[in-house]
Amino acid sequence: MDISIVGSGYVGLITAVGLASKGHNLVCIDVDKERVNSINRAEPPFFEEGLSEALRTHAGEEGNLRATLDYEEILGTQATFICVTTCSSSGKSADFRHVKQSTRTIGEVLRAKKDYHVVVTKSSVVPGTTEELVIPLLEETSQKSAGDGFGAGVNPEFLQESEALRCFLNSDRIVIGQFDRKSGDVMSDIYQDFAAPCLRMAIRTAEMIKFASNAFLATKISFINEVGNLCKQLGIDVYEVADGMGYDPRIGRSFLNAGIGFGGSCLPKDLEVLLHRFASLGESAPLLQGVMDVNTAQPLRLVELVRARLGDLKGKTLAVLGLAFKPGTDDLRNAPAVKIIRQLIQQGARVKAYDPRVMAKISEIFNGSLQCGQNVAETIAGSDAVLLLTEWDEFRDVTLYAGKTVIDGRRVLDPTEALRVCHSYEGVCW
Ligand code: UGA
């Protein structure tokens, strides 16, 4: 099928490449000229495992994927996915301006289209948005009626950064929220070569599945962090507890890794948006509010541990290893490390940081008030304590920390080994 994707960010480009690999013809539409050129040169505009190879296969003269600035190219396709960002520039809240803007432009283009066309919201939008905002805007700008002039739907994504392409091609389920049967048929045709079960439902149900899934994952993390905080007081290893719980298939072991909490552009933002939705309807959400509160406090617990070890932080030199919100990405949005560093600097510490992927961005954020290391050994040399904040594989060799005071926020090291090799070692909640 000929498919257009509006927005070539993370979700848009992975969707485009994934669908191209199933034989569809893709055109990626973006307002950023540099991004468009980079896709057409088969150069990924951001780092993601496997993306570079996939673009080399599908982009370029002979390939079935190309990028353009021209929205009119929608006319040559049968379906359009809206994949623009819904994240504010701070990464902390939702911002539907781009969804509105791109929907308007899509509608204006569709005014001239004779054949049936389906518009699919793939950006994460709060339940109700497609019916209350996207479809009315499309009707207004295209001067056609949904179900008659065009089809509509929602197809949320469940990609995890750092393994997005693998997640897309091996998804557990394909969720299709359909305006009507005809719209849903086009959407499920697009996914006919995928092995995953295709679940078809009402539009707002599909939107809710996305938010409820992210809220549940966030709940698991805050739950295990809260349990971990108690375990630490009682001398119990929360990772052993998680392993023991995880054998129960009703619970499952994944997303029970205790530490400094969840970051990124999705879990914190989606939780916040959902809490707003509760509030706007006069509903309280004490459980999800608690999930948020635990996550806000968790990184600061690590700062307290540093103070307990070193006393007043004024003039102390701290080595921070790991800045990205998780390994395998160069993404700093809502990264717990940023919050921790900000506190340490405020308390007068000298911070030297190293991350294999995000050094340029971090010096921008801290505007000279932080030193950047070149590698692990050079960063930790002469420091009063080492803080492990992202679980990159290159940080896992315990011999790097011989004689050092180490505080681990992500269970990077095996505690038994670390206690043997380091001067002192403890985890944020173990
Ligand atoms: C998350 C969801 O996992 C995806 O299913 C979803 O599609 C995506 O958001 C989205 O809405 O687009 P992502 O933001 O890439 O994916 O990151 P995760 O792998 O979920 O990790 C989020 C944060 O939780 C990270 O900071 C990670 O370190 C932390 N985490 C994760 C824990 O602290 N403990 C765990 O056990 C797992």
Side-chain angles (χ1 to χ4, degrees), residues 12-13 15-21 24-28 39-40 54-55 57-67:
L13 192 53
T15 302
V17 162
L19 293 179
S21 77
H24 297 296
N25 298 317
L26 271 296
V27 54
C28 299
I39 296 169
N40 285 331
L55 272 181
T57 309
H58 297 288
E61 291 287 286
E62 305 291 302
N64 55 344
L65 182 155
R66 65 199 168 75

Side-chain angles (χ1 to χ4, degrees), residues 100-112:
K100 284 189 205 160
Q101 186 52 49
S102 54
T103 303
R104 272 200 198 96
T105 317
I106 294 167
E108 280 157 14
V109 172
L110 288 183
R111 204 186 296 182

Side-chain angles (χ1 to χ4, degrees), residues 10-11 124 157-163 167 173 210 213-214 217 220-221 224-225 239 253-270 295 324-327 329 334-336 391 410:
Y10 203 76
V11 172
S124 292
E157 54 81 21
F158 302 97
L159 311 175
Q160 277 181 278
E161 277 192 52
S162 84
E163 36 189 335
C167 289
R173 75 292 207 195
K210 166 71 186 185
S213 298
N214 274 0
L217 293 172
K220 284 188 91 174
I221 299 169
I224 202 66
N225 284 341
Y239 273 70
R253 174 63 181 83
S254 66
F255 277 69
L256 288 180
N257 292 323
I260 47 178
F262 56 84
S265 65
C266 306
L267 299 192
K269 183 253 303 171
D270 286 0
N295 199 56
F325 84 98
K326 68 174 184 179
T329 82
N334 296 308
E391 63 275 38
R410 290 288 187 197

Side-chain angles (χ1 to χ4, degrees), residues 299-300 302-307 310 313-320 337-352 366 369-370 385 387 389:
L300 304 178
L302 188 131
V303 177
E304 285 314 308
L305 292 183
V306 184
R307 282 180 67 88
L310 303 182
L313 297 184
K314 213 166 268 159
K316 298 277 171 14
T317 303
L318 300 173
V320 166
V338 172
K339 204 167 169 183
I340 290 170
I341 293 172
R342 200 159 275 142
Q343 268 297 317
L344 297 173
I345 292 175
Q346 247 170 38
Q347 296 190 24
R350 279 195 299 264
V351 178
K352 187 162 183 178
F366 286 98
S369 55
L370 162 130
L387 316 184
L389 304 187

Side-chain angles (χ1 to χ4, degrees), residues 342-373:
R342 200 159 275 142
Q343 268 297 317
L344 297 173
I345 292 175
Q346 247 170 38
Q347 296 190 24
R350 279 195 299 264
V351 178
K352 187 162 183 178
Y354 168 71
D355 184 286
R357 284 210 191 270
V358 287
M359 294 320 294
K361 280 196 234 163
I362 196 80
S363 35
E364 255 171 52
I365 293 182
F366 286 98
N367 208 7
S369 55
L370 162 130
Q371 249 189 300
C372 293

